[in-house]
Amino acid sequence: REESKSSTQPEAMEEENPLFSNLDLFLFTLIAGLIIYWFMSRKKAEPIPEFKKLDQPKKLLALIPSVAAISLQGRNIVVFYGSQTGTGEEFANRLSKDAQRYGMKGMAADPEEYDMSELSRLAEIGNSLAIFCMATYGEGDPTDNAQDFYDWLQETDGELDGVNYTVFALGNKTYEHYNAMGAYVDKRLEELGAKRVFDLGMGDDDGNLEEDFVTWREQFWPAMCEHFGVEASGEDSSIRQYELKEHNDINMNKVYTGELGRLKSFETQKPPFDAKNPFLAPVTVNRKLNKAGDRHLMLHFLDEMVYESGDHVAVYPTNDTAIVNRLGQILGVDLDSVISLNNLDEESNKKHPFPCPTTYRTALTHYLDIIHPPRTNVLYELAQYATDPKDQENMRKMASSAPEGKALYQSFVLEDNRNILAILEDLPSLRPPIDHLCELMPRLQARYYSIASSSKVHPNSIHICAVLVEYTTKTGRLTKGVATTWLKNKLVADNGHKSTVPMYIRKSQFRLPFKASNPVIMVGPGTGIAPFMGFIQERGWLKEQGKEVGETVLYCGCRHKKEDYLYQEELEEAEKMGVITKLNVAFSRDQEQKVYVQHLLRTNKEDLWRQIHTDNAHIYICGDARNMARDVQTAFYEIAEELGGMTRTQATDYIKKLMTKGRYSQDVWS
């Protein structure tokens, strides 16, 4: 019937002489469709509210674009942290957790993930407070995650009236710019109109950083209670931040096995490589550098990352499997159980203390620091699980700021160098749940090494040198450095497989002068020689390119020439080829009177003064901050006094000006 109907239709239409033909109708429909499509497309193209891009999240302080949301969530304390090695973040978490004991709700926040220009809106929230735990890195610099915040503070002229704040600074007195970042944040916030509600705290890692923090914290909270008119509640109760979820039936492809960010990132590597996405670099050389003993290591890594002489490489080590297994044994748990620790605060942006789901074995091996002596808050939280009342009392005492408690923590934990395993072994009544212990342990941090090669000479590899750390504690336990022990065991080929090391490059300001004709004076005893191997290689390469290269003078040192003279063959060859103008080596223990690099500087004072004062030499110091860097600086003061006819004050100012001009650079550690 359809057939007959369709066959008679044209005749009928012809007879009626219709207004539109089939072609007209088709064209009309097509044009109408195009108009509708154009109109809809035009609608989509109209401006819409601009939201932050997900690839670079800059969340508002309340996690959504309304500060009122903090009030709705009950949050009124935000603890921002600038942290390079994890301690600043750890202190921030402790302070935000403390807030609960005072009827307030706190959150720890990484300034890198927030739009800090919105800081002024904290004033809209009643009884609000911004706490800043700010570490200083390098030569008075902000930590990587606080760099944008620092830049904003320098550039902004915004007003922070009504914002309450306090700062706890983390630093080390052996460094030239002690707690510079914390002091700057404290001063700058006040200049912008914010109200300091408690004095700046100064933490010194050369002394006892934990004690400094605990003392400041115990004075801070009573002052806050008075300021906000609140009272402490439940001071003695332990507050859990995460809850345990056990996964009995889970696809193992969804379980983290040591990755720091993206799941399976070690199987499928994708640039860019950074702290959360390290590159797995194959080990191509692993040999000892010294002739006697095995203290010093040299490793070469095959690398696909761009670096420059003077940069640092960060490597992510893992803990000793024997210690991990012993922890599992002593706590009576199956380390291969798959678990997640989920934040009880569902609105928190930190969902887990480490990548989850994972196993206890992976967490203790890759994610948690189980080797350093635990901080006082860990002892306080775990004390409730000690069945011996005396153990419980001592653990709580060690967490207090009372003189007796500080002395006990100093002797039992720090001086005896007890890690968490040693504490569990020596306190048999203490057997905490492993999930709570994992919640409390700090994250295992990357280790930074000065790169001992030049990318001009070695574009596809990175070299490092390290001292193997190994010693016996007062309790008779053999303690090994986490990273150096792990690196030592990274054989070039392990059962037919290439050993790999997760790493990324951290850019440095430790740079050769722009003009190759400027002389360079390098002072680096021990492994402080590392960056100068890169500098020497680069100066040699520049000479090969026909560039005019200034004097290249090296001061290095070791204990004994026949035992631990690092890079002896390379250095002597470089001097022979004229790459090193003068090689000065201090063998500190090859004679009755100890000789160090600062003694050699004084011996060559006339040459040094000419190079610095007349020839615009650049000075570089690398190595120990506590003694060597300070003694070397003093030697330069004395040379300026004697040969420049200056007073000590003038000599000090002279060296400070060299620092300001970038002609006196330090890459030091303590």
Side-chain angles (χ1 to χ4, degrees), residues 223-234:
M224 286 308 95
C225 287
E226 189 176 335
H227 182 83
F228 290 125
V230 296
E231 290 182 11
S233 58

Side-chain angles (χ1 to χ4, degrees), residues 507-533:
K507 292 296 175 187
S508 163
Q509 301 300 316
F510 205 64
R511 292 279 185 264
L512 279 168
F514 180 74
K515 285 174 66 178
S517 56
N518 283 109
V520 297
I521 299 161
M522 304 171 288
V523 185
T527 56
I529 196 173
F532 302 138
M533 293 309 297

Side-chain angles (χ1 to χ4, degrees), residues 109-122:
D110 182 345
E112 194 173 37
E113 296 180 0
Y114 292 81
D115 184 355
M116 297 303 285
S117 65
E118 298 283 354
L119 190 61
S120 60
R121 294 180 65 186
L122 270 178

Side-chain angles (χ1 to χ4, degrees), residues 350-362:
K350 187 176 181 180
K351 302 302 179 188
H352 316 282
F354 44 78
C356 290
T358 190
T359 64
Y360 287 124
R361 186 181 304 282
T362 298

Side-chain angles (χ1 to χ4, degrees), residues 146 270 558 574 589 638:
K270 295 176 185 175
C558 59
R589 301 184 189 183
E638 290 170 358

Side-chain angles (χ1 to χ4, degrees), residues 402-421:
E404 188 186 351
K406 285 181 180 179
L408 185 59
Y409 178 73
Q410 182 69 30
S411 61
F412 183 77
V413 179
L414 298 182
E415 289 175 10
D416 289 351
N417 202 36
R418 281 183 171 88
N419 58 28
I420 191 64
L421 175 59

Side-chain angles (χ1 to χ4, degrees), residues 401-462:
S401 60
E404 188 186 351
K406 285 181 180 179
L408 185 59
Y409 178 73
Q410 182 69 30
S411 61
F412 183 77
V413 179
L414 298 182
E415 289 175 10
D416 289 351
N417 202 36
R418 281 183 171 88
N419 58 28
I420 191 64
L421 175 59
I423 287 170
L424 292 172
E425 286 176 338
D426 293 347
L427 299 178
S429 88
L430 178 64
R431 293 296 179 265
I434 192 168
D435 61 293
H436 199 178
L437 184 134
C438 287
E439 174 181 322
L440 294 169
M441 301 310 293
R443 287 292 296 268
L444 183 60
Q445 298 295 321
R447 280 15 182 211
Y448 295 91
Y449 295 93
S450 298
I451 295 176
S453 54
S454 164
S455 58
K456 298 284 192 297
V457 181
H458 299 282
N460 299 314
S461 69
I462 281 178

Side-chain angles (χ1 to χ4, degrees), residues 28 128 248 317 325 586 657:
F28 177 81
S128 65
N248 297 317
N325 289 336
K657 279 177 185 168

